[in-house]
Amino acid sequence: MTDNRKFEIEADVELPGTPERVWQAVTKDTPAWMFPTDQWPDVKTTEEYPSHLVSRMDGPDGWFNQLEHVLEPLEGGRAKLHYVHSGIFADNWDEQYDGASKHTEFYLHTLGQYLRYFDGKPVVFTDIQAPASSQTPDGFVQLKRALGVDGAAAGSPFEADLDGVGRLSGEVDFSNKNFLGIRTGDTMYRFFGRNAFGAPVGMTVHEFSGSGDSELTAKAWGAFLEKVYA
């Protein structure tokens, strides 16, 4: 094992929630803004509620994956988060680091969106992967065009009637060449241009309406993505 296989990604963000609410979000409510982590075999090496949390997973030959959250209260019921993701990448170091660091910005942004608009609401989480044919240099551009948001900046209104999915109305809350976030009154849609990191385009749906059906959501969006990349 050599040092050049280690990585460390740091980020500092201000979040629209108290340290207690952020702690709840990063420990219990991860399906609401990222993905379920309740089955992770991690160990809490530091657990000082609600200010300092370190979760770590260890494996063979020195492999580890560690997440650190340091929280400070700010005025107005907000919190400052110092986030550190560290560990070992065994293969394709540059590509994995690039992907992980860029995902971090998007996930932390989505955490802020959850805390601002949906904090504490029950969520139905769905993960959908596009076909392998999305793994082309313009794969994510194809999806943005199909959604009608190619070139749309964060803060732009979003209105679309998508084949098989239905009518969506909301706002583009995040947009760059690798990631797209669309928020409606009861749902966050997250789109991942993982074609840039050697994987298919993907998306997650975080539905807070109280009547979400993950199986139907996966079927509808899966069919939409099949048509985009047919």
Side-chain angles (χ1 to χ4, degrees):
M1 192 63 62
T2 59
D3 287 341
N4 65 4
R5 300 175 75 179
K6 296 179 182 179
F7 73 92
E8 186 169 281
I9 298 164
E10 293 188 54
D12 290 282
V13 295
E14 293 186 7
L15 294 168
T18 63
E20 290 82 1
R21 295 311 304 160
V22 179
W23 184 288
Q24 173 72 18
V26 302
T27 56
K28 303 295 185 183
D29 297 340
T30 58
W33 59 276
M34 189 172 61
F35 49 78
T37 60
D38 56 327
Q39 299 301 312
W40 281 12
D42 60 327
V43 174
K44 304 294 190 290
T45 59
T46 301
E47 197 168 9
E48 300 169 2
Y49 178 84
S51 60
H52 192 193
L53 177 68
V54 180
S55 304
R56 183 179 174 105
M57 291 184 286
D58 286 280
D61 301 321
W63 180 91
F64 74 96
N65 188 65
Q66 178 173 288
L67 300 178
E68 180 176 21
H69 299 81
V70 179
L71 291 160
E72 298 177 23
L74 298 173
E75 292 183 359
R78 298 176 301 125
K80 178 182 177 182
L81 168 64
H82 178 65
Y83 172 88
V84 184
H85 180 195
S86 56
I88 297 288
F89 286 140
D91 300 298
N92 302 318
W93 195 98
D94 288 340
E95 188 173 84
Q96 289 203 60
Y97 180 83
D98 188 41
S101 59
K102 289 177 179 175
H103 275 72
T104 294
E105 178 188 5
F106 189 40
Y107 280 135
L108 293 180
H109 165 81
T110 302
L111 171 59
Q113 293 286 292
Y114 164 65
L115 291 166
R116 182 179 299 279
Y117 296 102
F118 306 110
D119 185 23
K121 292 186 177 181
V123 66
V124 174
F125 169 84
T126 309
D127 181 273
I128 308 109
Q129 299 302 310
S133 53
S134 66
Q135 290 181 246
T136 59
D138 67 342
F140 200 52
V141 173
Q142 285 181 256
L143 177 58
K144 283 187 170 183
R145 287 174 180 162
L147 292 169
V149 296
D150 187 26
S156 301
F158 176 78
E159 299 281 345
D161 195 350
L162 304 179
D163 188 20
V165 174
R167 183 150 195 86
L168 300 180
S169 178
E171 178 181 297
V172 175
D173 63 81
F174 191 96
S175 182
N176 64 23
K177 67 178 183 179
N178 300 123
F179 303 99
L180 172 70
I182 294 173
R183 188 191 70 255
T184 68
D186 59 16
T187 306
M188 291 194 297
Y189 300 92
R190 309 288 100 176
F191 301 90
F192 302 85
R194 295 187 176 122
N195 55 307
F197 313 118
V201 169
M203 66 175 291
T204 57
V205 179
H206 310 261
E207 188 170 354
F208 303 92
S209 67
S211 59
D213 186 316
S214 185
E215 186 175 342
L216 291 178
T217 298
K219 183 177 180 180
W221 278 101
F224 175 80
L225 293 173
E226 288 283 351
K227 291 178 182 177
V228 171
Y229 296 108

